Amino acid sequence: MRRSPVLESIVSNVFVLAGVLFVLGAYLLHTGEGTIKPNPFFKPAIWILYAGIVALAFACVYLTPYHTLHQILRANGGFFLALFLVIILALIALYYTKESKESFRLIRRFLLEPSLFLVAVCLYVSMLNKKAKTIFLSAFCAVFLLHPILTSLDFFTTAISYAQKGLNPIFILGTYRAMPHLFFEASTGYAFFLIITLSIAIALFIATPYKKSCALVVALSLIACVLSGTRFLYVAMCVICLAPLVLLKYRYRAATIAISMAILVVSCVLLYHISANFSARFNMQNMVQNITQVLQLPPAAMGRFDKQCTSLNRCMKSSFPKDSHIQWEHSSLSRIAMSKSTVLAILDNPLRPNGFGLTLFGKNIVRIFGQDSEALPYFISIQPDGSILPYYWTNHNGILYLWFELGAIGFGLVVWLHLWLLLKARKIYYDTSTSPILRAFMLAIALMLIGLSVANFFDALPNRAGQNILFMFFGIFLAFVADKATKDKTESKAIRHSDV
């Protein structure tokens, strides 16, 4: 039966509205999750994304994208199966967690909801024509390029406020932690957005012909990362910059990698010696010289090197008496203790999932080892009932925590998902028919995965806002993978017919 022109116009407009809502929701999510102070944009962002799903569902009733769905599942079946199994393992972990109700809430927020947005964005992008895909992709990525400007402005306004108070603005270097205005996330959470920005900027510089303008964006991104004051971001920044040298094919590849590695080694040696004059936070020489003595201790005893351990109300009793020969900066020392505690919990039963959710680390680690175990992190908080919990609610090591919360099988599935994405990105990147913008996106996805993996080894990222945005990026990526698979199948059929 022929459709009414009025109905077709309504469906077309609703479909366009769905895309606008997806982009607008993602833009508002860029302000972060309100962990430091309430964020008036965060909940509206989530509801706008759900409104986009409703609009898409309405349009799909009339557009009936069954063929598109079949193409998506056929091209990305392995990805969706692995993601489904990860969700199943997270649900199984409810049996082992200290608080199953809270754990399920975290599963809903960090797995189910992002997966829903992933599927919705993937379907939407798959239904767009080639030109509309490019517009949607460009709009989705554009907001990230604002973050270097925001970070730099925030840094200099903070320096000006130092000067107005009669302080030397130079003191801001090394102490400033990026958290720009209209952003409501902790500085470590904000690093997630700077990693994505740098990945996109470098990918645009490499894969598109707009070298001069892209070089400016890369420079701004690097400046923002340096100004951020977040140590793990410095490491991730170096890895992201070096990764294209290893991932891509080009002339004199072996020589370039060798020279780059030599420069990196020399830089590390110089930093090792120079850092002796830095503050404790950046004194790499002290950390390297004393790492063996620290690691040989159980986590509960590492506080003997931390000057913040002043009483049994703050640190485990194994951290006393204090060691006067070694002093270690609190932030990195507590991370080492939490990471070793996580490793000991994993070794206790590598296959066991220990409860999904970063915020449940403290309660789950105590559930495993008990109140007085040497395997607990040394820095603690005394509860109203007199019991103890680790002071920090995450273990600050997202890579180890994946294994801790999902077990060895779940961790293996997550690793497989990352490798699958990297290999698909590589295949599309080297397809001669791939447009420069799409090649840049494929490279950006690869750099994001590598950079975020490195960052997660030193902290636990991303948060709910970042998780949703990352999964939406994956949704766009899977749509292009489906396009590539459909195109290859069509060309293969054409070749067979021509041979006949």
Side-chain angles (χ1 to χ4, degrees):
M1 187 173 73
R2 186 176 180 181
R3 292 176 180 173
S4 165
V6 175
L7 178 60
E8 289 186 354
S9 177
I10 292 173
V11 172
S12 177
N13 289 330
V14 170
F15 184 73
V16 172
L17 176 63
V20 172
L21 291 172
F22 287 142
V23 172
L24 178 59
Y27 276 23
L28 292 179
L29 280 180
H30 286 278
T31 58
E33 186 175 2
T35 56
I36 295 297
K37 52 186 177 180
N39 182 0
F41 304 115
F42 181 74
K43 285 188 177 179
I46 296 295
W47 286 113
I48 286 171
L49 290 174
Y50 279 115
I53 292 175
V54 172
L56 177 62
F58 174 83
C60 285
V61 169
Y62 298 94
L63 298 177
T64 57
Y66 302 122
H67 181 64
T68 302
L69 279 171
H70 177 69
Q71 291 176 337
I72 292 172
L73 292 174
R74 184 179 60 198
N76 304 295
F79 178 92
F80 285 113
L81 177 60
L83 180 60
F84 175 74
L85 292 175
V86 168
I87 293 173
I88 293 299
L89 285 168
L91 293 173
I92 292 174
L94 292 174
Y95 177 78
Y96 297 96
T97 188
K98 176 69 175 177
E99 294 187 9
S100 58
K101 184 177 181 180
E102 174 65 12
S103 184
F104 182 77
R105 186 181 73 88
L106 295 172
I107 291 172
R108 177 179 64 81
R109 289 188 169 194
F110 286 87
L111 269 181
L112 299 180
E113 181 181 80
S115 297
L116 177 62
F117 294 155
L118 179 153
V119 172
V121 170
C122 178
L123 177 60
Y124 181 81
V125 175
S126 294
M127 295 171 67
L128 295 173
N129 60 40
K130 185 176 181 180
K131 182 178 179 181
K133 281 183 171 67
T134 302
I135 294 173
F136 183 89
L137 176 60
S138 301
F140 193 86
C141 294
V143 70
F144 284 99
L145 304 181
L146 294 174
H147 287 293
I149 299 173
L150 293 174
T151 303
S152 300
L153 289 175
D154 187 64
F155 177 86
F156 289 112
T157 55
T158 305
I160 291 172
S161 68
Y162 266 55
Q164 290 174 343
K165 295 175 183 177
L167 301 173
N168 190 339
I170 196 67
F171 290 130
I172 190 177
L173 292 171
T175 61
Y176 169 78
R177 305 296 300 280
M179 187 180 160
H181 299 297
L182 293 180
F183 196 83
F184 304 84
E185 183 55 73
S187 54
T188 50
Y190 184 66
F192 166 84
F193 297 93
L194 291 178
I195 286 172
I196 291 183
T197 298
L198 181 61
S199 300
I200 294 173
I202 290 177
L204 287 171
F205 175 78
I206 292 174
T208 65
Y210 315 111
K211 302 298 182 186
K212 291 183 179 179
S213 56
C214 291
L216 177 61
V217 178
V218 171
L220 288 173
S221 298
L222 291 172
I223 291 171
C225 290
V226 172
L227 296 179
S228 69
T230 304
R231 289 171 297 182
F232 70 77
L233 180 55
Y234 297 159
V235 180
M237 175 185 70
C238 293
V239 172
I240 291 171
C241 291
L242 292 173
L245 301 179
V246 179
L247 294 176
L248 303 181
K249 301 175 182 177
Y250 51 91
R251 293 181 65 186
Y252 311 116
R253 182 171 181 267
T256 303
I257 292 175
I259 294 171
S260 300
M261 291 301 107
I263 294 173
L264 180 62
V265 170
V266 172
S267 299
C268 289
V269 172
L270 289 174
L271 178 62
Y272 170 81
H273 291 287
I274 296 173
S275 68
N277 301 314
F278 295 168
S279 65
R281 178 176 171 79
F282 295 97
N283 191 338
M284 306 304 297
Q285 186 178 106
N286 178 66
M287 296 177 185
V288 171
Q289 289 177 348
N290 298 310
I291 187 67
T292 304
Q293 293 93 316
V294 171
L295 288 178
Q296 69 183 4
L297 293 176
M302 292 181 185
R304 65 183 60 179
F305 308 128
D306 188 347
K307 64 181 180 180
Q308 291 195 29
C309 283
T310 55
S311 70
L312 291 174
N313 290 328
R314 305 196 71 179
C315 296
M316 296 285 286
K317 60 183 180 182
S318 300
S319 290
F320 300 94
K322 300 295 292 300
D323 190 312
S324 60
H325 302 292
I326 299 175
Q327 290 292 318
W328 195 295
E329 182 262 345
H330 170 76
S331 179
S332 55
L333 182 61
S334 60
R335 278 169 162 77
I336 293 172
M338 289 184 286
S339 293
K340 186 168 183 179
S341 183
T342 306
V343 170
L344 293 174
I346 291 171
L347 294 176
D348 185 63
N349 188 336
L351 292 174
R352 180 187 64 209
N354 292 297
F356 186 88
L358 280 171
T359 56
L360 293 175
F361 165 72
K363 293 181 179 180
N364 285 331
I365 205 75
V366 170
R367 177 190 59 80
I368 294 169
F369 292 121
Q371 288 278 309
D372 301 317
S373 174
E374 294 277 281
L376 294 183
Y378 70 87
F379 207 61
I380 59 172
S381 173
I382 305 297
Q383 303 304 297
D385 62 357
S387 62
I388 66 169
L389 283 176
Y391 179 84
Y392 295 104
W393 45 270
T394 82
N395 75 332
H396 289 76
N397 189 318
I399 302 299
L400 288 177
Y401 200 80
L402 277 172
W403 194 323
F404 176 85
E405 66 182 349
L406 295 173
I409 296 175
F411 180 76
L413 287 169
V414 173
V415 171
W416 184 89
L417 281 171
H418 281 70
L419 292 175
W420 186 92
L421 290 166
L422 287 171
L423 291 174
K424 290 292 183 181
R426 184 179 186 276
K427 180 179 180 181
I428 297 176
Y429 181 89
Y430 282 113
D431 187 337
T432 55
S433 64
T434 302
S435 67
I437 293 297
L438 184 53
R439 292 178 75 238
F441 179 67
M442 293 296 122
L443 180 57
I445 287 289
L447 296 179
M448 283 180 211
L449 290 173
I450 294 170
L452 288 173
S453 296
V454 171
N456 267 277
F457 190 76
F458 300 97
D459 211 314
L461 301 172
N463 58 18
R464 187 183 175 193
Q467 186 84 338
N468 283 320
I469 287 175
L470 187 62
F471 272 57
M472 291 172 74
F473 265 113
F474 291 164
I476 298 172
F477 178 87
L478 296 178
F480 285 114
V481 170
D483 283 353
K484 168 65 175 169
T486 302
K487 178 184 174 183
D488 289 347
K489 185 176 181 181
T490 302
E491 290 177 350
S492 178
K493 284 183 177 179
I495 292 173
R496 287 200 300 269
H497 290 160
S498 64
D499 290 342
V500 173

